[in-house]
């Protein structure tokens, strides 16, 4: 299965182009599912009410499903409440009823990730197109599984379970039940689920597609977003520039607006030299329904919504780690950790080492990575950003680096 995550700045038309991308796949004979969040925009674009429990048929080969994050939050909370019943009784807490539960902020992100994993596990589709939240939220959402797994490993290290044989004794001494085993069981279940989601996100057939308008600040705004995606290893397969007006209009107002769009389009092509930039025409209205979406994918503009061979181009194995270690010990006495960050600027770039981890910050986005084993025995001696690549220099620590054996006499 290939997965295309469609995102972009708010108001750029990502829901429309996500639907057009899905329809284009169906027109090529693929089994396609369009996943949307709880907003009404995708339903308005498709002119169809979408179900949350099962996929709704839209056109031959195309189905769509709405993610009901509120319903999933209630079900998960009630299940957690039931599992934690003994501890809640001990505390004298009154359980909450289903009809008094309201969705908490952030639950939509977990619901979307759960749906992404579930649809992959179903093996029912050739292509999965996801109408994602705005780009800044999408970057943080895609980083969520790795971050939560790190928190779980720090707060509940698996090796701590070695003492679980003592818990019945401790429970008798304390006179109260010990909930630690339940806690570790929950952490183990969360770890398995998050790892499954992580495999979907990191799969070679998963890519991000950016949608933008051709406004005067489009290139500057997307530069930071592109750097944030690269920081977390997300691959951008295309940039769709939406609602472009025809050139050569005799109307001075339309000619000026079109000229401004063409200037912005040129800036976007310069900013994304290694990413296909596709032009999507303005139809003079907001497309609604399959017939009008067909107008976007017919003719030369249709290539903008194709999925191409992006998934297969990287092979069937795991997606290679873009952060690579370059050995320069023989020539310069250093190791280089090369971090691709296209679009990043020195302003807002941060680098901190914390024990065996390194923290890289790009604008509002941050990623924590565990150092490869060779780099843990080194000290950070500098870093430089050049041509969209951050080179972090490591010098071996004499106290930790293996010493060469003395030559025999």
């Amino acid at each position: 299965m290939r997965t295309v995550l469609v995102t972009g700045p708010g108001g750029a038309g990502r829901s429309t182009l996500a639907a057009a991308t899905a329809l284009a796949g169906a027109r090529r004979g693929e089994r396609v599912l369009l996943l949307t969040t709880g907003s009404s925009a995708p339903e308005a674009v498709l002119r169809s009410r979408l179900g949350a429990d099962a996929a709704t048929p839209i056109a031959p080969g195309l189905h769509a499903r709405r993610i009901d994050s509120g319903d999933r939050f209630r079900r998960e909370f009630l299940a957690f409440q039931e599992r934690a019943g003994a501890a809640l009784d001990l505390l004298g807490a009154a359980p909450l009823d289903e009809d008094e539960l309201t969705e908490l902020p952030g639950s939509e992100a977990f619901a979307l990730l759960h749906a992404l994993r579930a649809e992959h596990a179903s093996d029912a589709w050739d292509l999965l197109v996801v109408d994602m939240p705005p780009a800044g939220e999408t970057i943080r959402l895609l980083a969520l599984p790795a971050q939560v797994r790190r928190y779980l490993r720090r707060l509940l290290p698996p090796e701590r379970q070695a003492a679980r044989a003592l818990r019945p004794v401790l429970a008798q001494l304390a006179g109260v039940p010990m909930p630690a085993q339940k806690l570790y069981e929950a952490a183990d279940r969360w770890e398995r689920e998050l790892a499954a989601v992580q495999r979907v996100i990191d799969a070679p057939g998963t890519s991000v597609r950016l949608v933008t308008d051709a406004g005067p600040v489009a290139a500057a705004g997307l530069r930071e977003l592109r750097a944030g995606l690269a920081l977390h290893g997300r691959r951008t397969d295309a940039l769709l520039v939406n609602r472009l007006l025809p050139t050569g209009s005799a109307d001075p107002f339309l000619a000026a607006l079109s000229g401004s769009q063409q200037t912005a389009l040129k800036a976007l092509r310069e900013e994304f030299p290694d990413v296909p930039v596709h032009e999507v025409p303005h139809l003079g209205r907001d497309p609604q329904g399959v017939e009008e979406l067909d107008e976007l994918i017919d003719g030369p503009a249709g290539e903008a919504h194709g999925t191409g061979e992006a998934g297969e181009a990287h092979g069937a194995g795991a997606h290679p780690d873009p952060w690579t270690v370059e050995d320069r010990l023989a020539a310069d006495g250093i190791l280089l950790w090369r971090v691709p960050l296209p679009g990043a600027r020195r302003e807002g770039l941060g680098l901190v080492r914390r024990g065996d981890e390194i923290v890289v910050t790009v604008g509002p986005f941050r990623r924590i990575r565990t150092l490869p084993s060779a780099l843990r025995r080194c000290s950070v001696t500098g870093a430089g950003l050049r041509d969209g690549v951050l080179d972090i220099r490591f010098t071996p620590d004499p106290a930790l680096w293996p010493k060469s054996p003395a030559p025999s006499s």
Side-chain angles (χ1 to χ4, degrees):
M1 183 190 295
R2 286 171 295 144
T3 304
V4 179
L5 310 174
V6 182
T7 186
R14 65 180 184 279
S15 293
T16 299
L17 296 192
T21 298
L23 181 60
R27 294 297 192 228
R28 291 192 302 272
E30 296 178 290
R31 301 171 301 163
V32 184
L33 176 67
L34 173 65
L35 265 183
T36 77
T37 56
S39 70
S40 58
E43 294 189 333
V45 170
L46 295 171
R47 299 184 70 177
S48 178
R49 187 161 184 81
L50 305 182
D53 298 326
T56 302
I58 302 297
L62 174 61
H63 290 71
R65 183 164 79 84
R66 176 178 55 85
I67 300 168
D68 188 342
S69 55
D71 178 68
R72 183 173 188 274
F73 171 79
R74 287 186 290 272
R75 286 188 284 107
E76 289 292 316
F77 186 91
L78 291 172
F80 167 78
Q81 188 172 252
E82 183 178 352
R83 290 193 298 268
L88 294 175
D89 289 343
L90 181 65
L91 297 171
L96 295 170
D97 295 326
E98 182 176 359
D99 57 5
E100 62 180 315
L101 290 176
T102 56
E103 183 181 359
L104 294 179
S107 59
E108 184 177 281
F110 286 99
L112 193 155
L113 291 173
H114 174 78
L116 190 61
R117 177 206 171 189
E119 295 300 346
H120 264 260
S122 74
D123 199 27
W125 317 104
D126 302 312
L127 171 64
L128 180 63
V129 179
V130 188
D131 178 19
M132 300 292 288
E137 295 178 36
T138 290
I139 294 170
R140 296 181 180 90
L141 185 152
L142 296 178
L144 192 59
Q147 291 175 340
V148 176
R149 293 176 72 193
R150 177 179 176 273
Y151 297 157
L152 287 174
R153 287 192 294 269
R154 288 288 296 274
L155 297 174
L156 295 168
E159 57 269 18
R160 295 278 180 88
Q161 295 192 70
R164 63 184 176 183
L166 297 176
R167 289 182 192 136
V169 178
L170 295 174
Q172 290 180 4
L173 292 174
V176 295
M178 303 295 286
Q181 182 60 29
K182 290 285 187 182
L183 191 60
Y184 277 101
E185 288 173 358
D188 184 60
R189 183 174 61 256
W190 292 338
E191 164 65 25
R192 291 196 304 270
E193 293 180 358
L194 289 166
V197 174
Q198 189 73 51
R199 286 192 293 271
V200 173
I201 294 173
D202 291 340
T206 298
S207 61
V208 175
R209 188 159 299 181
L210 288 173
V211 176
T212 185
D213 58 16
V217 296
L222 287 175
R223 182 181 302 133
E224 186 175 76
L225 297 175
R226 186 188 184 199
L229 287 167
L231 175 66
H232 291 285
R234 307 280 74 86
R235 183 171 57 86
T236 304
D237 70 1
L239 176 65
L240 310 185
V241 187
N242 198 19
R243 303 188 187 115
L244 286 173
L245 296 171
T247 58
S249 173
D251 186 310
F253 175 80
L254 291 178
L257 187 55
S258 174
S260 175
Q261 286 187 334
Q262 291 300 312
T263 299
L265 181 61
K266 180 181 178 182
L268 287 168
R269 292 189 184 279
E270 293 172 351
E271 184 63 38
F272 289 80
D274 54 341
V275 175
V277 178
H278 297 292
E279 304 176 28
V280 183
H282 200 308
L283 298 183
R285 63 192 182 282
D286 291 331
Q288 290 187 334
V290 171
E291 294 77 10
E292 295 189 2
L293 287 174
D294 268 326
E295 294 184 45
L296 286 179
I297 64 176
D298 285 340
E303 64 180 2
H305 311 289
T307 52
E309 301 300 320
E312 292 83 354
H314 291 270
H319 198 289
D321 187 353
W323 296 33
T324 57
V325 177
E326 184 176 323
D327 187 344
R328 292 191 183 177
L329 290 175
D332 305 317
I334 63 171
L335 296 170
L336 276 184
W337 205 9
R338 312 206 72 191
V339 183
L341 292 176
R345 295 293 183 267
R346 287 183 174 83
E347 304 81 16
L349 189 63
L351 185 66
V352 176
R353 179 172 181 176
R354 292 171 50 89
D356 288 342
E357 295 178 328
I358 200 149
V359 184
V360 182
T361 302
V362 179
F365 307 110
R366 174 177 294 179
R367 187 179 186 187
I368 302 174
R369 284 287 305 262
T370 301
L371 294 171
S373 57
L375 300 185
R376 295 175 201 171
R377 303 191 295 272
C378 302
S379 301
V380 177
T381 53
L385 180 67
R386 185 177 296 106
D387 298 328
V389 177
L390 175 65
D391 288 331
I392 310 172
R393 295 186 293 276
F394 289 81
T395 301
D397 185 337
L400 301 175
W401 198 259
K403 296 180 175 60
S404 301
S408 56
S409 55

